[in-house]
């Protein structure tokens, strides 16, 4: 059973934009820390961005100024607006949740989805 579902991944040229979305019927995003991590092919996963229950956000240095994380509590969706994409952003992107802010802010999650592929060329 898939509890988190990512969407929006695509192939895009460098400098372009994509908007990723994450949805779930199993969790309330308003009550937990949610975020995104990515894993390039053959490389280790890395945290991208997270947003806490109080709305505080954190970003990896590599995406600051280019990516924006947000959530819509009414729709129970999580989004990642990605602008000025670079080839090094190419990866499988996953959304996840964690009840602990510290872990979540590091891109460590208890539950995550199947991912959506982002390819920048």
């Amino acid at each position: 059973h898939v509890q988190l579902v990512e969407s929006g991944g695509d192939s895009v040229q460098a400098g372009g934009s994509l908007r990723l979305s994450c949805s779930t019927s199993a969790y309330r995003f308003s009550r937990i820390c949610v975020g995104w991590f990515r894993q390039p092919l053959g490389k280790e996963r890395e945290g991208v961005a997270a947003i806490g229950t109080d709305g505080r956000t954190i970003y990896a240095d590599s995406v600051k100024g280019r990516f924006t994380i947000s959530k819509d509590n009414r729709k129970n969706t999580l989004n990642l607006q990605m602008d000025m994409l670079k080839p090094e952003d190419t990866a499988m992107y996953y959304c996840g949740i964690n009840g602990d802010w510290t872990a979540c802010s590091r891109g460590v999650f208890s539950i995550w989805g199947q991912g959506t592929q982002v390819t920048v060329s």
Side-chain angles (χ1 to χ4, degrees), residues 36-40 43-49 60-63 88-94 106-109:
W36 299 86
F37 70 88
R38 65 188 182 185
Q39 185 168 29
K43 299 179 69 176
E44 297 297 314
R45 69 188 237 180
E46 61 177 337
V48 174
D61 288 341
S62 59
V63 307
E88 50 262 47
D89 294 319
T90 295
M92 184 71 76
Y93 283 70
Y94 303 84
R106 294 173 177 173
V108 178
F109 303 96

Side-chain angles (χ1 to χ4, degrees), residues 44-109:
E44 297 297 314
R45 69 188 237 180
E46 61 177 337
V48 174
I51 183 167
T53 57
D54 59 355
R56 59 181 159 175
T57 58
I58 189 167
Y59 297 90
D61 288 341
S62 59
V63 307
K64 286 182 179 177
R66 300 189 298 119
F67 291 11
T68 303
I69 187 170
S70 63
K71 61 179 179 179
D72 185 328
N73 289 333
R74 185 181 65 81
K75 295 181 179 180
N76 205 44
T77 57
L78 175 72
N79 299 292
L80 184 69
Q81 178 65 42
M82 305 186 295
D83 298 316
M84 297 178 284
L85 284 162
K86 304 175 180 179
E88 50 262 47
D89 294 319
T90 295
M92 184 71 76
Y93 283 70
Y94 303 84
C95 68
I97 63 172
N98 201 309
D100 180 73
W101 165 250
T102 299
C104 188
S105 68
R106 294 173 177 173
V108 178
F109 303 96

